[in-house]
Amino acid sequence: MVQIPVYAFTGFLDAGKTKFIQETLEDERFNAGERTLLLVFEEGEEEFDSTNYPHKNVFLEVLDQQTVTTKHCRRWRRSTRPSGWWQK
């Protein structure tokens, strides 16, 4: 079984979650070029800006529902091919 790191960011409205995630994805020490899937369940006032990411392997998916199913995961795996995921 392949292990894939998952990071969940939660917090109050206007707590700075988007800014923190944006700065984390811009940091070369966090991501060495692996493909990253960013799932956004709720859009804040700020938007994600991928132009400052050191690697262009970050894929953004904005969700309009609160439930993630295995069907969603399979579709994202096929469309983004994140590092560490074996394609079948």
Side-chain angles (χ1 to χ4, degrees), residues 15-60:
K17 296 177 298 292
T18 302
K19 184 176 181 179
F20 177 74
I21 295 167
Q22 178 72 29
E23 290 174 354
T24 301
L25 291 172
E26 290 175 2
D27 189 341
E28 289 186 26
R29 296 172 296 173
F30 176 77
N31 185 329
E34 300 90 3
R35 291 183 179 183
T36 301
L37 176 60
L38 177 59
L39 301 176
V40 178
F41 288 89
E42 180 179 280
E43 291 185 280
E45 291 181 22
E46 292 189 36
E47 294 183 11
F48 290 99
D49 180 10
S50 63
T51 59
N52 294 326
Y53 300 160
H55 308 285
K56 302 306 175 197
N57 289 335
V58 176
F59 302 91
L60 175 68

Side-chain angles (χ1 to χ4, degrees), residues 50-87:
S50 63
T51 59
N52 294 326
Y53 300 160
H55 308 285
K56 302 306 175 197
N57 289 335
V58 176
F59 302 91
L60 175 68
E61 186 76 34
V62 178
L63 305 173
D64 58 356
Q65 69 275 350
Q66 297 296 316
T67 303
V68 175
T69 65
T70 55
K71 183 178 178 181
H72 292 113
C73 294
R74 286 186 191 111
R75 182 172 49 88
W76 296 325
R77 183 180 72 181
R78 283 191 303 272
S79 66
T80 63
R81 304 210 190 287
S83 299
W85 286 31
W86 292 346
Q87 289 85 46

